[in-house]
């Protein structure tokens, strides 16, 4: 059986799929150092020191799409395989991104309050909004989630552009720089991995390039956006609105951000459906078993 070190609690579906085929080890067990695989996630991570203490390690399976806490350079030095569950959650997160996009662009919260407060009957109809069709959606990061967002955007009449480090063989236009992408976009959706490589990628310059009519949607990680700059821009009207599923400080976002009327807030719930969480749990196990058996990994990085 495969010795697997679990650094996070495992959902029942993961344990069921590995039962009889893997021996689950806990960090406080004497045998933990013999692990050939580790299950962790982006938040718990896996440090270089921890990797060094696992001489037989050949595979690290992230139970999330995030991998920001995993020392990928240390893995690469030993040719240790890394996988995640991105394919299991990409469609769900893309649905969530479109919900935030539509709510922020269409001013759903303002309309909701207009009805709820009685202003509709006292003051008449709410101000007119803006059509979505014919606008440009820029996607920062065209991995599985970004691609799923792009596919959903086209039926709404959105033109799609994207930025990634390497251009992809896709029908959407590649833009070489995040600032240029924001300048060309009405809406900017952020779908890049977290971690130091992308920290502050959505800078004050990117936010200013998106402009006072623009909308920012973030379903990636809070660290990717310069949050103080975002708060300033939203408060000053230099950015029109934002739809945010992630924040720099979770689960306690900056009160200044929470208090803004032009922000749609979601509690890091992009993948939070029963069906998707089950699929994620099963993919962790499938990645472990596929690597041990020499098969292609469904969540290979």
């Amino acid at each position: 059986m495969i010795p697997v070190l679990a650094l996070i609690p495992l959902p029942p579906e993961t344990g069921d799929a590995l039962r009889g085929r893997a021996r689950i080890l806990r960090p406080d067990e004497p045998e933990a150092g013999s692990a050939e695989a580790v299950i962790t996630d982006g938040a718990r991570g896996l440090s270089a020191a921890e990797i060094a203490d696992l001489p037989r390690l050949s595979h690290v399976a992230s139970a999330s799409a995030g991998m920001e806490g995993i020392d990928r350079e240390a893995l690469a030095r030993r040719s240790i395989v890394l996988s995640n569950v991105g394919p299991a959650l990409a469609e769900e997160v893309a649905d969530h991104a479109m919900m935030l996009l539509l709510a922020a662009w269409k001013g759903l919260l303002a309309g909701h309050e207009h009805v709820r407060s009685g202003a509709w009957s006292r003051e008449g109809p709410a101000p007119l909004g803006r059509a979505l069709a014919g606008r440009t959606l820029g996607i920062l990061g065209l991995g599985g989630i970004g691609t799923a967002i792009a596919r959903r955007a086209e039926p709404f009449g959105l033109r799609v552009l994207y930025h990634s480090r390497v251009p992809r063989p896709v029908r959407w236009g590649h833009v070489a720089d995040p600032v240029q992408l924001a300048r060309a976009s009405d809406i900017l959706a952020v779908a890049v991995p977290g971690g130091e490589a992308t920290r502050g990628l959505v800078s004050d310059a990117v936010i200013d390039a998106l402009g006072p009519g623009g909308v920012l949607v973030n379903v990636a990680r809070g660290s990717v956006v310069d949050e103080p700059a975002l708060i300033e821009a939203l408060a000053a009207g230099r950015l029109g609105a934002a739809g945010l599923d992630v924040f720099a400080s979770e689960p306690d976002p900056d009160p200044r951000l929470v208090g803004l009327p032009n922000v749609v807030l979601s509690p890091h719930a992009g993948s939070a459906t029963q069906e998707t969480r089950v699929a994620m749990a099963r993919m962790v196990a499938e990645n472990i078993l596929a690597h041990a058996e020499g098969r292609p990994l469904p969540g290979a990085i």
Side-chain angles (χ1 to χ4, degrees):
M1 289 200 293
I2 314 157
V4 178
L5 175 60
L7 297 180
I8 57 173
L10 299 185
E13 294 83 5
T14 302
D16 291 345
L18 292 175
R19 187 169 292 116
R21 306 175 74 179
R23 182 162 54 100
I24 304 300
L25 305 169
R26 303 299 173 186
D28 57 353
E29 294 183 37
E31 299 89 352
S34 67
E36 296 175 9
V38 165
I39 299 175
T40 185
D41 59 20
R44 167 55 178 85
L46 186 68
S47 69
E50 290 173 316
I51 293 166
D53 287 338
L54 298 169
R56 298 176 59 188
L57 183 63
S58 63
H59 175 209
V60 174
S62 174
S64 66
M67 300 171 291
E68 60 272 20
I70 300 171
D71 194 320
R72 298 178 66 173
E73 291 184 3
L75 296 183
R77 285 194 292 270
R78 284 176 46 190
S79 300
I80 296 170
V81 171
L82 176 62
S83 65
N84 74 356
V85 294
L89 56 78
E91 302 297 324
E92 198 71 62
V93 175
D95 283 352
H96 205 80
M98 290 303 297
M99 177 187 71
L100 292 171
L101 184 159
L102 289 166
W105 183 267
K106 292 289 190 178
L108 176 64
L109 295 184
H112 174 88
E113 185 58 28
H114 193 72
V115 176
R116 191 171 199 167
S117 67
W120 190 11
S121 64
R122 292 194 312 270
E123 303 167 13
L128 295 177
R130 300 177 293 171
L132 186 64
R135 307 289 181 168
T136 297
L137 169 65
I139 301 177
L140 195 56
L142 202 71
I145 294 170
T147 300
I149 293 171
R151 291 200 312 267
R152 282 159 173 74
E154 288 182 316
F156 284 90
L158 286 164
R159 171 184 176 233
V160 176
L161 300 173
Y162 76 97
H163 167 78
S164 62
R165 287 175 296 178
V166 179
R168 306 294 180 89
V170 294
R171 60 183 177 273
W172 308 299
H174 178 261
V175 180
D177 175 80
V179 173
Q180 294 176 26
L181 178 65
R183 189 171 292 121
S185 301
D186 299 289
I187 304 158
L188 184 66
V190 185
V192 296
E196 290 306 312
T198 58
R199 184 174 296 279
L201 182 63
V202 180
S203 62
D204 191 48
V206 171
I207 294 166
D208 270 346
L210 192 53
V215 167
L216 177 71
V217 175
N218 189 8
V219 292
R221 288 292 184 268
S223 60
V224 177
V225 175
D226 181 338
E227 197 169 273
L230 174 63
I231 293 168
E232 280 189 29
L234 286 165
R238 291 189 292 109
L239 179 66
L244 306 175
D245 187 45
V246 290
F247 307 89
S249 176
E250 298 179 8
D252 298 302
D254 191 312
R256 296 175 298 163
L257 188 62
V258 174
L260 290 169
N262 50 347
V263 183
V264 182
L265 307 168
S266 173
H268 201 149
S271 67
T273 63
Q274 296 175 9
E275 297 85 353
T276 296
R277 291 295 169 85
V278 168
M280 291 165 63
R282 289 174 176 163
M283 184 169 283
V284 174
E286 180 56 24
N287 282 330
I288 294 283
L289 297 174
H291 179 260
E293 296 165 6
R295 296 185 283 110
L297 278 65
I301 301 300

